[in-house]
Amino acid sequence: MMKIKNVSIIGLGYVGLTMAVFLASKGVRVIGVDVDKEKIEKLSRGIPTFYEEKLEYLLNEGIRENTLEFTDSYEYAISNTSITFVTVGTPLREDGSIDLSYIEEASTSIGKALKKKNSYHLVVIRSTVIPGTCLYSVKNIIEEFSRKKAGIEWGLCMNPEFLKEGSALRDLSKPARIIIGEYDKKSGDILEEFYRQIYSDVEIPILRTSLSTAEMIKYANNAFLATKISFINSIADICEKIEGCDVVEVAKAIGLDFRISPLFLRAGLGYGGSCFSKDIKALIEFAKEVEACPILFESVDQVNQRQPLKAVKFCEQLIGNVKGRRIAVLGLAFKPGTDDIREAPSLKIINELLKRGANVVVYDPVAMEKVKRLYGEELVYASNVLECIAGAECALIITEWNEFKKITPQIFKEYMRTPAIVDGRRIFNPEDFMKAGVKYMAIGLGFNYSTR
Ligand code: UGA
């Protein structure tokens, strides 16, 4: 099979842009397409639109080496490449179901551009879409606007991604597996061959499936991880009611059972981010639509919605009514290593504290600007940890940034008005705090822990 040298990527958000720079770094000529002209202009000048490790470097390298270019023209991108990856967003509608309008718009534009092209072209959907989207929506729209038949004049694959924010480029360089959902064998063969060229130096399992199975795999993957988190958070909830019990030790022990694995068993204030919560909700709505049973996922979602509020409950248990009192919130990003605050537990906690009249002072090493844009004058913004805890009556650990792990009970005692700590991510050793006589409550930690 011929070596594929040119690909286009439609939708330059998180998934699209990281993939574009990665493929360009592998010597593929990549044309990135987005309808946002301002974004195209920025990227063409080598300015990334979000932070991700190594992104800026690879973006500029690609531009310099002429392997990477950006345009808002579908026609240009499609006529000059032989594979198009679609990585547009699939947000939720008000009712929790998936909004496929960006996928439909992209399919329409691809169809129109394909109409003018004379050679075979492969379309690969990489966005997270509910099962059936590729086979019914995408295929039909492209056929209608291109007047060309799928499987003959153009091919179609569904190729979900499993990137984690903060390690997207590392994840891309060695994925655990590649899933190729295919409309027909030829489409799958071309994509498999492309990936075999990209990953010629590493052994990556490639699984070939139907389009709908590939769509389902992405949801099943995220739903399983979210379930693991809500599972351990539910165990944590029970541990808290048991004298001398600790969920961290429970998780460590069950994680050693190789059927369970230790990953994604960290109890805390719940999962955030742009994907888990959105995908679980979309899966629930889809299950209802096809009259399947979504109750497990409804519970996963409910557990996760309750989890952040525990920080406020613990805070009140430690110091009583928060009205008019200075509460330090340490950590705003939905996880360490990113400035992303989408669906972050911190926002729910801040809202609840404000509702109860607390005087909220916040600090995060990178996400301050984004939070400032949301809350303006409503919060006090500290420029470092010590400024944040100074004079506070309770400090809540919301995100497990490394710099927070270094705060000792003595530091809290010295700076806070009355030291009381809620460890929402289990970053401290409870015994250190008990010994130092600092009021301390933590997710999944039973009462009288120090007396055991
Ligand atoms: C997640 C998945 O891990 C990726 O595989 C997937 O591709 C991506 O969603 C997506 O669908 O695009 P991401 O949202 O970047 O990636 O973040 P994770 O590292 O998975 O963490 C998600 C949330 O779970 C965070 O808020 C984290 O704090 C929380 N978490 C994670 C826990 O509370 N406990 C754990 O043990 C692990």
Side-chain angles (χ1 to χ4, degrees), residues 21 26 53 74 99 113 115 178 180 191 250 260 317 342 370 378 386 388 396 404 436:
V21 302
K26 290 276 173 186
E53 207 186 320
Y74 275 76
D99 176 356
K115 195 173 179 197
I178 292 170
I180 297 179
L191 190 57
V250 175
I260 295 176
Q317 278 177 25
R342 284 177 292 175
K370 289 196 169 157
E378 280 184 283
L386 298 180
C388 187
L396 317 179
F404 300 161

Side-chain angles (χ1 to χ4, degrees), residues 21 43 46-48 55-63 68 70:
V21 302
L43 293 175
I47 305 166
L55 179 66
E56 185 165 7
Y57 170 77
L58 290 180
L59 172 66
N60 283 283
E61 187 186 64
I63 295 169
L68 197 51
F70 300 101

Side-chain angles (χ1 to χ4, degrees), residues 14-15 128 161-166 171 218 221-222 225 229 232-233 262-276 279 334-336 343 345 400 425:
Y14 196 81
V15 176
T128 301
E161 52 75 30
F162 304 98
L163 308 179
K164 298 183 290 300
E165 282 191 33
D171 295 344
K218 168 70 186 201
N221 209 88
N222 272 358
L225 294 173
I229 298 170
I232 201 67
N233 285 338
L263 302 175
F264 277 73
L265 277 185
R266 275 181 289 115
L269 294 170
Y271 56 78
S274 66
C275 297
F276 282 177
D279 291 352
F334 86 93
K335 66 174 185 181
E343 301 289 328
E400 63 276 35
R425 296 288 176 185

Side-chain angles (χ1 to χ4, degrees), residues 78 110-117 121 142 146 148 154:
I78 285 177
I110 291 171
K112 287 180 183 166
L114 274 184
K115 195 173 179 197
K116 300 186 185 150
K117 191 176 174 179
H121 196 88
I142 297 181
S146 66
K148 291 179 175 167
W154 61 281

Side-chain angles (χ1 to χ4, degrees), residues 196-210:
R196 295 223 179 271
Q197 285 163 19
I198 297 296
Y199 296 110
S200 56
D201 52 340
V202 271
E203 190 65 36
I204 313 279
I206 296 184
L207 268 71
R208 304 263 296 254
T209 71
S210 71

